[in-house]
Amino acid sequence: MNLKSGTFRMVYEETLFAFGKLLLLYITIPLFLLWLFIGYFFNLGEDVIAAISGPTYFFILLFAINGFKTIFPVAIGMGSTRINLLKTFYVVGLASVLLITFILNVFQWILLTLYERWNVAAHILHPATFLNREYTFLSYYLIDFMLGIFAFSFAFLFFTIYYRLGFKKSVIWLMVLVIIGTLLNYSGLIDFSIWEWLVTQHFHDMVIFSFVNTISLIALFITYPIMRNAPLTAKSKKD
């Protein structure tokens, strides 16, 4: 087994355990079967919301932080380079989000289809419902995929900043940015009302999809220069 295939195998096994075993077998499938059982045997009203997507978002966040943290010292100790590990983590992480959100939407489609046949009035919990979007498999899947990429990228970015700077410096830099942003806003040097204009525009879904994915990927790839020469241990809390 060479260096690249060994690193890939290590990241793949960790991903398979987190998403395949823990998330799908132990959480999502039991939740899916539970809501099918409740929907078939109980008279659910419109006020009931079936929720099976929450754990998926939580595990994407968890894997972006804890997955890399677990693999990093082991992979480097077994001869992998930081650059090789980062590239592998990006590829496997993005592919995992693509696949796990697709499987989630298959379950959601089955749940909605059976509820419709059984005349169950309950709804499913999904971010698209807050935007009043009509259900289609593709539109719901693209929203889940978009938010999954967003969660994975920014969670990993915040983790790498915390890893390199430590808790104290991370908080200090966060407050510096907040203070600078506040001063720029109220001094009139930067007009943040452009964000209000953006949210009031009814852009096409693909425009929003492309925009969110682009800033997510930029956030993810910013982690490359941050972590390519990172030490094996993170800064302590006092650091």
Side-chain angles (χ1 to χ4, degrees):
M1 184 180 297
N2 59 37
L3 178 63
K4 289 186 177 179
S5 63
T7 304
F8 176 82
R9 182 65 180 272
M10 193 175 300
V11 178
Y12 170 76
E13 292 290 343
E14 180 70 21
T15 308
L16 187 64
F17 176 75
F19 288 121
K21 191 173 184 180
L22 290 181
L23 176 61
L24 278 181
L25 289 182
Y26 294 168
I27 299 176
T28 303
I29 292 177
L31 270 180
F32 167 70
L33 296 176
L34 173 66
W35 279 111
L36 280 183
F37 180 84
I38 294 175
Y40 187 79
F41 288 102
F42 298 93
N43 185 24
L44 301 181
E46 291 186 353
D47 57 329
V48 177
I49 298 176
I52 64 172
S53 60
T56 301
Y57 286 106
F58 174 76
F59 267 74
I60 289 173
L61 287 169
L62 185 67
F63 179 75
I65 298 172
N66 200 52
F68 187 84
K69 183 181 177 182
T70 304
I71 298 168
F72 184 52
V74 180
I76 301 303
M78 294 182 69
S80 177
T81 65
R82 289 162 175 76
I83 293 174
N84 188 31
L85 176 60
L86 279 169
K87 291 178 180 176
T88 307
F89 190 74
Y90 294 152
V91 172
V92 175
L94 294 173
S96 300
V97 173
L98 178 72
L99 180 61
I100 200 67
T101 50
F102 177 79
I103 295 173
L104 171 67
N105 276 271
V106 170
F107 286 137
Q108 290 179 152
W109 174 78
I110 295 173
L111 194 62
L112 283 168
T113 302
L114 291 179
Y115 274 13
E116 187 176 342
R117 289 189 179 184
W118 298 338
N119 294 320
V120 177
H123 304 284
I124 67 163
L125 180 64
H126 192 279
T129 58
F130 298 106
L131 303 172
N132 296 321
R133 302 294 172 86
E134 293 292 331
Y135 174 77
T136 64
F137 180 87
L138 182 61
S139 64
Y140 271 43
Y141 170 57
L142 289 179
I143 290 175
D144 276 328
F145 174 67
M146 177 183 70
L147 295 179
I149 292 293
F150 183 86
F152 175 75
S153 301
F154 278 91
F156 189 53
L157 174 62
F158 292 141
F159 164 74
T160 57
I161 294 172
Y162 171 79
Y163 188 92
R164 295 306 302 269
L165 295 180
F167 180 75
K168 187 171 70 176
K169 287 184 179 177
S170 298
V171 171
I172 290 173
W173 275 108
L174 176 63
M175 286 309 302
V176 169
L177 292 175
V178 170
I179 291 171
I180 292 174
T182 305
L183 290 175
L184 290 175
N185 182 39
Y186 285 101
S187 66
L189 294 176
I190 293 180
D191 185 7
F192 286 105
S193 62
I194 187 173
W195 296 105
E196 297 176 7
W197 178 82
L198 283 173
V199 298
T200 57
Q201 303 305 305
H202 298 288
F203 290 113
H204 191 275
D205 289 349
M206 290 309 297
V207 175
I208 299 173
F209 179 79
S210 302
F211 176 74
V212 174
N213 281 344
T214 299
I215 63 170
S216 299
L217 291 177
I218 290 173
L220 180 62
F221 295 140
I222 287 174
T223 61
Y224 182 79
I226 296 175
M227 292 298 289
R228 68 177 177 177
N229 295 314
L232 286 179
T233 56
K235 292 280 189 181
S236 66
K237 289 185 178 179
K238 290 184 178 179
D239 290 331

